[in-house]
Amino acid sequence: MLDTKLLRSDPDAISRNLARRAFALDVARFRAIEDRRKSAQVAADEVRAARNAQGKKVGMAKARGEDASALMAEGEALARRLEGLEKEQAAASAEFDELVLGLPNTLHESVPDGRDEAANVELRRWGTPRKFDFAPLDHGAIGEKLALIDFEAAGRISGARFVVLKGAVARLHRALIQYMLDLHTTRHGYTEVYAPYLVARHSLVGTGQLPKFEEDLFRVASGDQEYFLIPTAEVPVTNLARESILEAKTLPRKYAAHTPCFRSEAGSYGKDTRGMIRQHQFEKVELVHIVRPEDSYAALEELTSNAEQVLQGLGLPYRVVALCAGDVGFGSAKTYDLEVWLPGQQAYREISSCSNCEAFQARRMQARWRNPATGKPEPVHTLNGSGVAVGRALVAVLENYQEADGSVTVPEVLRPYMGGADVIRG
């Protein structure tokens, strides 16, 4: 959520920033709502004062033994008038808050201009794509030859955009998770978290998925209980700080969590329909930072570097891209994408997004820290990033480590998790 004080005092500045996203802020509407709220508040304060004065007159009249019925009737009329003004004020405030929840985050000044992904800026590359002496297959064809990836069975069980992994490929998938968790907790200083996969509506409002992106979520209802399957571990893990005031000495907090993720992929029809790139259910190892505001951009670089080291350890070529204004996500002020090389597509594909949300989520969650300089609670800054998406890492390993005979070499760092196996064969 944006700073409502700034939105009320200088909506034009907010409008100029959001225009970089091609988002049109209706400043006139915000001002009209705020004028209604202020007018109702001023009138309510005047009526409240008059009602209080009237109450004193009633008390004095009764003390003198006089008939106070006329004064009491006037007081009741003032009370009814006050009730109406308070409802008007509350309605204007609710309309204002509803509109604010639909506004994306303001962008950091360093975010490059641009309308879509074509304007994203490549910052660096690591590794050189392998030159094959045979025509490399994509992961679907590799899995088919190994008979260890089964989309047909998944389709019979659940429908499109699901997969069944078997044998050594299922173990490779698990090995990737264990490798990432061990790397982040032992070398990068993250605290491992096991978090709920079902969350309440307010948790998704807190991290910004609701109300705007409800169609992208899977909703689960049982009687009068409502839950949502998490689209990312960012949701439960970031909400660890909700409705809290954190002491400065406890910051930064760095969490790593492995969870399944569930997404309806609304609006993605026709995109990546074959294979494991875009699934309804997939796994991630998510990284979350909760930090002091002045530390958040250094934390963004650290988080991105931590995700990069996963790919470096696996020996997977990748590039880092700064997203342009039109491609940055709703809740982010600045985002870096890591894109891994996939020989089967002859293209770099996203495997991690690392974002600084600044105070946007913290305001929605009421997540604060006590600033020693002021002694007052202030919003923390929150960051999140995939460290990394497990299914896409599996895809990248299968495609980059495939051999001409259909086998797949196991990356050295994963062999301890594979019982020492160095190759996967059908």
Side-chain angles (χ1 to χ4, degrees):
M1 187 166 68
L2 299 182
D3 184 345
T4 54
K5 290 182 180 177
L6 180 59
L7 187 57
R8 287 184 166 114
S9 64
D10 194 357
D12 290 322
I14 300 291
S15 178
R16 287 191 297 272
N17 187 293
L18 296 185
R20 297 185 63 205
R21 292 179 176 267
F23 185 95
L25 175 64
D26 191 342
V27 174
R29 185 180 179 190
F30 269 92
R31 284 184 169 144
I33 295 169
E34 183 61 5
D35 287 345
R36 276 173 33 219
R37 186 193 66 81
K38 283 183 177 178
S39 296
Q41 181 179 344
V42 169
D45 288 344
E46 291 174 352
V47 172
R48 192 176 291 109
R51 185 194 62 176
N52 292 340
Q54 196 73 2
K56 291 179 181 178
K57 289 181 182 179
V58 169
M60 292 170 63
K62 286 183 175 180
R64 293 193 298 266
E66 298 173 355
D67 181 7
S69 58
L71 291 171
M72 291 172 66
E74 291 177 13
E76 289 170 0
L78 287 169
R80 289 192 295 272
R81 171 64 177 150
L82 178 59
E83 183 180 4
L85 288 167
E86 287 176 339
K87 286 181 179 178
E88 188 178 333
Q89 182 182 348
S93 294
E95 187 177 354
F96 184 92
D97 292 343
E98 183 180 357
L99 286 174
V100 171
L101 284 177
L103 297 180
N105 202 356
T106 50
L107 296 169
H108 190 263
E109 60 186 9
S110 65
V111 172
D113 289 327
R115 294 289 181 174
D116 54 39
E117 62 183 15
N120 292 345
V121 177
E122 183 178 314
L123 302 178
R124 57 186 176 271
R125 293 191 181 197
W126 185 93
T128 302
R130 174 184 169 189
K131 292 183 178 179
F132 291 84
D133 55 9
F134 60 93
L137 304 176
D138 70 13
H139 65 283
I142 296 168
E144 215 170 272
K145 289 185 71 172
L146 292 171
L148 298 176
I149 298 179
D150 195 335
F151 294 105
E152 185 179 337
R156 292 195 303 271
I157 296 165
S158 301
R161 296 187 190 257
F162 290 92
V163 67
V164 171
L165 305 178
K166 301 175 183 177
V169 171
R171 185 168 186 176
L172 182 65
H173 184 265
R174 175 161 52 91
L176 283 162
I177 295 165
Q178 293 175 312
Y179 161 64
M180 293 178 205
L181 286 173
D182 285 350
L183 179 68
H184 294 314
T185 56
T186 62
R187 286 182 49 187
H188 299 153
Y190 288 82
T191 298
E192 185 174 351
V193 172
Y194 171 79
Y197 303 162
L198 291 167
V199 294
R201 179 175 289 270
H202 64 251
S203 293
L204 288 151
V205 171
T207 46
Q209 283 81 12
L210 288 179
K212 186 174 178 62
F213 302 108
E214 185 157 353
E215 67 173 3
D216 296 326
L217 304 171
F218 285 107
R219 179 176 173 273
V220 179
S222 176
D224 60 354
Q225 293 181 308
E226 178 193 57
Y227 296 102
F228 291 86
L229 290 167
I230 59 170
T232 164
E234 168 200 343
V235 178
V237 177
T238 308
N239 271 278
L240 288 173
R242 78 173 295 113
E243 299 170 12
S244 300
I245 301 175
L246 309 177
E247 294 303 323
K249 65 183 180 182
T250 69
L251 299 177
R253 298 187 180 191
K254 296 164 52 179
Y255 300 116
H258 159 243
T259 67
C261 306
F262 306 91
R263 298 184 186 178
S264 73
E265 295 295 345
S268 68
Y269 302 108
K271 297 179 182 176
D272 297 311
T273 54
R274 185 176 186 274
M276 293 177 58
I277 294 295
R278 200 178 294 274
Q279 299 261 286
H280 289 311
Q281 174 186 315
F282 59 96
E283 312 278 311
K284 276 203 303 176
V285 172
E286 186 75 2
L287 307 177
V288 170
H289 288 217
I290 299 169
V291 304
R292 304 181 189 207
E294 62 265 30
D295 297 333
S296 66
Y297 279 93
L300 177 61
E301 301 300 325
E302 178 188 357
L303 187 155
T304 305
S305 173
N306 295 157
E308 286 184 73
Q309 288 173 54
V310 172
L311 301 180
Q312 291 173 13
L314 292 169
L316 297 173
Y318 68 90
R319 66 179 186 172
V320 181
V321 175
L323 299 194
C324 73
D327 203 29
V328 171
F330 178 80
S332 176
K334 182 175 182 177
T335 296
Y336 296 130
D337 270 8
L338 306 187
E339 298 179 350
V340 69
W341 176 254
L342 298 183
Q345 296 188 18
Q346 288 294 294
Y348 287 96
R349 296 299 304 269
E350 178 200 334
I351 195 169
S352 173
S353 282
C354 300
S355 299
N356 185 357
C357 297
E358 295 187 354
F360 185 82
Q361 294 176 324
R363 291 192 190 98
R364 297 166 78 108
M365 296 185 302
Q366 286 294 295
R368 296 166 290 172
W369 72 299
R370 193 175 302 282
N371 187 339
T374 64
K376 296 179 180 179
E378 300 173 9
V380 294
H381 278 195
T382 62
L383 303 94
N384 63 81
S386 303
V388 294
V390 180
R392 294 193 180 189
L394 178 67
V395 166
V397 168
L398 293 174
E399 293 194 8
N400 282 278
Y401 283 90
Q402 63 181 295
E403 303 299 340
D405 63 359
S407 65
V408 175
T409 299
V410 176
E412 189 172 343
V413 294
L414 298 182
R415 292 174 190 175
Y417 304 101
M418 295 286 292
D422 60 1
V423 67
I424 295 173
R425 303 183 190 277

